[in-house]
Structures are given as C-alpha cells and as structure tokens.
Amino acid sequence: MTQPFDLITMGRIGVDIYPLQTGVPLARVETFGKFLGGSATNVAVAAARLGRRSAVISRTGRDPFGEYVHQALREFGVDDRWVTPVDAYPTPVTFCEIFPPDDFPLYFYRRPKAPDLVIHPEELDRDAIAAARIFWITGTGLCEEPSRSATLAALEARAKAGTTVFDLDWRPMFWGGEGGASGDGGATGAAAMAAARPYYEAALRHATVAVGNVDEAEVATGLRDPGDCARALLEMGVELAVIKQGPKGVLAVHRDGRTAEVPPTPVEVVNGLGAGDSFGGALCHRLLSGWELEPMMRYANAAGAIVASRLACSSAMPTADEVDAFLGDG
C-alpha cells in the first residue's frame, strides 16, 4: 500500500434482493433486482462515489454471490483486498418490502452464521487500519465472536489515530432480540440492549465520532432525549456525537462546545433503506474536508435524501456533482 486509504470500513457485506415494485407485499412481488449490500459496505461505496479512496474489511461465502460482491465493489471503485471467502457459510442475502414513505421491513438471511462475523483478529492488517484517515466500525460487528474480538482489536490498533467512527447500527435480531429500543419488543428487546451495551461502551472508548438514531443511541447510553444522548456519548469518549432524528433532522454536538441542528431535506421517499449509509459516506467525505458542523450536516442530509428518493442502496449513492446540484451549489 503506497498511501493510506481515506476510509476503511469494517462490517456487513452481502447481496440485497430488492423488489422492483413498490407498495406490494413480499409474497406478491414478481420481480427483484440484485444489489451490493451491507451497511459498512454501502458507506464505503458512498464515500468512493464522492471521490474518496475507500476499502472494506469483511468476508463472503465462497459462492457465486461472493463473486458478485467482489465484482460490484470493483465497479464502484472500492478496494476489496480485505474481503475474503469463508468455506462454511453462504454469502448473506437481504430482502425488503417497500411501502413509502416510511415502512421498509428488512428480512436478513444470515444463518447459521454470516461470513462477515467470521473475521478473526489475526487476519487484520493493523498497519493499514492505523494509517487510514478514517476507520469506520458498526454495532453489528460486536454481536458475535470472532467478529467482536476482531472489531475491538482493530480499534485498539487504531488507538484513536485520525478519525474513528462508531456507527451505532442497532439490529436487535442479531443480539437475540426483536423490536427497536426503549423496551420495544418486550423482554427480548430489553435483554438484547442489555447484552449489547457493554460492548458498545468498550467500542466508544476507542472512537472519536459516534453516529446513530435515537434508538441506537439509547442502546449505548440508556437515554432517549437527543441532547442527553449526545452529551452522554461525549462523556463516554467521543469528540463528536451525531444523532439522527428522522423527521426532526439531525443533531451534532462536538466536545469543544459547537453544536448544529439541521432540519431534514424534503424529498419524495421511494425507499428509505440506504439513506443512512449515504449520510455516513458523505459525513466521512466532509470530515476529511474539514468542514464546519452545520454545512457538513446539511451535505450529509442531502446525500441521504437523494438515496431515499431512489430504489436501491449501493447503486443509488450520489456523486459529488449530484449532491451539489441537489443543494443548489452546482
């Protein structure tokens, strides 16, 4: 490696099988499209579409879908050197239903175990992780071994060099629960949060930026008020807390006292899935550019809104020209 990557992400990878019809239950859908998927992967794609040099640390099955993942990564300009095959498990697929503007159920096929949870600590390129300008990990990477130990080992190797982002990424079904947070899902939801919180706390000690919605922030902090969540995340070790509030916009609070609260960008929603990953890639892009909080949040909001107005996730990620045009800066 001749120069550090702008962004290395670590986490989920797979294939999204999305309906080509909206407003139709999955049982009645007749046509589907195949897309590269996985939140950490989508963030890397989003940053690459904005001109950043990005790579993914993950694993696939040794199967045709795994071959497709490598092909798609290369087409998007994302380095795939650290995406390796696992013989024992198939490449995950994810289905969704599309009921705009705000109902997009996801169905994950990741059993008996997803290959991206079979990342071992000894396989990590710790020098590359330490050298990357931004390193991005997700909550899902903490849900099972050996991925949990590998994620924490990567954070230790990183030693808070540059910018280290923890995407709070709460998927309760990966922790033995269901529902959202704040008790949603009954006893299993609360138990899943309790199981996850110690590992979230451990990861936050190594992160400089935390990003998540209110449910995700609650998993880490036990709180639900966005301002309280942000302040708690700062106390847990990060320098910047970004709380996504859906229709209320986004709140960003920096340890130095700067804050920004930006309303959502209006758009006709086609598929809300992937908007958060586009937001994340754009956030990384502008963190690398040294932007101030408010314009950075507006830019990331716009990138997310563009994807929400499109059907797919990875292939919907906007270019810099598209974001500029959307904001009226082109």
Side-chain angles (χ1 to χ4, degrees):
M1 189 176 67
T2 57
Q3 60 182 4
F5 282 94
D6 291 322
L7 171 66
I8 297 177
T9 69
M10 180 175 176
R12 286 204 310 275
I13 201 166
V15 179
D16 290 341
I17 309 294
Y18 281 4
L20 299 182
Q21 301 146 277
T22 62
V24 178
L26 198 57
R28 290 172 45 205
V29 173
E30 296 182 354
T31 56
F32 296 84
K34 177 172 100 278
F35 307 97
L36 178 67
S39 64
T41 301
N42 285 336
V43 170
V45 169
R49 294 277 284 174
L50 294 169
R52 296 299 179 175
R53 186 167 178 260
S54 64
V56 178
I57 301 170
S58 194
R59 305 197 74 181
T60 69
R62 195 183 295 274
D63 53 27
F65 275 152
E67 294 173 13
Y68 164 73
V69 162
H70 282 277
Q71 172 189 319
L73 285 170
R74 292 166 187 156
E75 289 175 354
F76 285 124
V78 177
D79 196 294
D80 64 345
R81 72 182 71 183
W82 297 304
V83 179
T84 57
V86 177
D87 290 325
Y89 305 117
T91 302
V93 296
T94 303
F95 290 84
C96 77
E97 293 177 306
I98 302 175
F99 297 105
D102 58 4
D103 187 17
F104 309 100
L106 279 169
Y107 302 89
F108 293 97
Y109 290 77
R110 292 170 57 85
R111 294 297 177 189
K113 191 183 185 84
D116 56 58
L117 294 176
V118 193
I119 303 171
H120 294 272
E122 61 270 19
E123 297 166 346
L124 298 173
D125 187 335
R126 299 178 189 226
D127 290 341
I129 290 169
R133 298 177 70 191
I134 296 181
F135 181 56
W136 177 289
I137 64 106
T138 75
T140 296
L142 299 170
C143 74
E144 288 188 35
E145 293 290 2
S147 173
R148 177 184 299 151
S149 292
T151 300
L152 294 174
L155 289 172
E156 290 174 6
R158 180 76 176 161
K160 284 199 171 184
T163 299
T164 302
V165 183
F166 181 13
D167 175 2
L168 301 175
D169 177 45
W170 176 238
R171 305 288 181 179
M173 68 285 292
F174 300 160
W175 293 86
E178 58 186 345
S182 195
D184 185 13
T188 60
M193 280 198 296
R197 186 164 293 143
Y199 302 111
Y200 273 54
E201 291 172 349
L204 283 164
R205 288 195 288 270
H206 297 281
T208 62
V209 179
V211 182
N213 61 32
V214 172
D215 278 354
E216 292 166 334
E218 184 187 4
V219 175
T221 67
L223 304 170
R224 285 199 65 80
D225 176 80
D228 291 344
C229 287
R231 287 185 286 273
L233 289 166
L234 295 178
E235 291 173 1
M236 295 168 81
V238 303
E239 296 172 9
L240 173 64
V242 179
I243 309 296
K244 295 180 282 188
Q245 304 176 80
K248 294 183 180 179
V250 61
L251 169 68
V253 182
H254 198 280
R255 180 182 296 278
D256 64 12
R258 289 178 294 146
T259 65
E261 192 155 12
V262 175
T265 304
V267 69
E268 183 175 348
V269 175
V270 174
N271 184 358
L273 301 173
D277 300 332
S278 181
F279 179 100
L283 174 67
C284 291
H285 177 51
R286 287 315 181 195
L287 282 168
L288 290 168
S289 302
W291 278 28
E292 289 297 321
L293 282 186
E294 184 167 337
M296 180 163 54
M297 293 303 117
R298 291 188 184 279
Y299 190 94
N301 263 358
I306 290 171
V307 171
S309 71
R310 297 172 174 177
L311 178 65
C313 292
S314 56
S315 60
M317 299 299 171
T319 65
D321 287 345
E322 287 175 319
V323 180
D324 289 342
F326 188 85
L327 288 168
D329 298 332

